Amino acid sequence: MASVYELPKTRINTGMLSQYISRPVCFVGRVHKVNPTGKSFTLADGEGKHASVELSDPLDEELSGIVEVIGMVSNKATIMATAYTIFREDKGTQFDLELYNEGLKIIHEFPQHYPFEVKTSG
């Protein structure tokens, strides 16, 4: 089976998780809660709904702010993360998560006009 990095990933929000079970996704949200073990965390999307993310290895850094996660959606609608990226907001640029969510709605409503699969190199 191909690595998650080699597969196209669809950008989704929490409301779309159940539609993408066993498929690779890209999810952007604000850190809501980090499990004390560092093996999982919860992200809030642009609508304030929460998605659970599980890691294969514990975090080795503090996680806060906006995070982008690449991974597969499990049968429990949890994102099994392969990688994550922290969007630093300390440089004065704020990420507008609500506006990002509106963009997601548009690209999913009109997929014939917007290629919404993210291709990354690993």
Side-chain angles (χ1 to χ4, degrees), residues 106-107 109-116:
I106 291 169
I107 63 175
E109 186 174 348
F110 301 102
Q112 69 275 22
H113 299 295
Y114 299 98
F116 59 104

Side-chain angles (χ1 to χ4, degrees), residues 4 8-12 17 20 23-27 69-73 79:
V4 171
K9 290 155 278 304
T10 304
R11 290 189 176 275
I12 65 167
L17 279 169
Y20 288 91
R23 293 175 58 193
V25 296
C26 178
F27 187 97
V69 175
I70 302 292
M72 297 287 277
V73 181
I79 301 169

Side-chain angles (χ1 to χ4, degrees), residues 1-119:
M1 182 175 171
S3 160
V4 171
Y5 285 113
E6 297 168 355
L7 300 170
K9 290 155 278 304
T10 304
R11 290 189 176 275
I12 65 167
N13 64 18
T14 304
M16 300 171 191
L17 279 169
S18 63
Q19 300 166 22
Y20 288 91
I21 290 176
S22 299
R23 293 175 58 193
V25 296
C26 178
F27 187 97
V28 177
R30 183 172 299 280
V31 175
H32 174 70
K33 182 178 179 183
V34 177
N35 186 299
T37 66
K39 295 269 291 179
S40 65
F41 56 93
T42 306
L43 295 176
D45 67 11
E47 295 180 334
K49 296 178 184 173
H50 298 138
S52 296
V53 178
E54 291 189 16
L55 303 166
S56 55
D57 296 315
L59 292 165
D60 59 0
E61 62 185 323
E62 183 179 329
L63 200 61
S64 64
I66 302 293
V67 175
E68 178 184 66
V69 175
I70 302 292
M72 297 287 277
V73 181
S74 75
N75 292 336
K76 298 178 184 177
T78 296
I79 301 169
M80 308 305 288
T82 301
Y84 66 88
T85 303
I86 301 171
F87 292 2
R88 302 284 180 207
E89 295 182 300
D90 55 357
K91 302 285 188 222
T93 304
Q94 297 292 316
F95 187 90
D96 190 333
L97 197 52
E98 291 76 22
L99 185 58
Y100 174 82
N101 193 67
E102 290 302 312
L104 281 180
K105 289 178 184 177
I106 291 169
I107 63 175
H108 281 271
E109 186 174 348
F110 301 102
Q112 69 275 22
H113 299 295
Y114 299 98
F116 59 104
E117 292 181 334
V118 179
K119 294 188 182 188

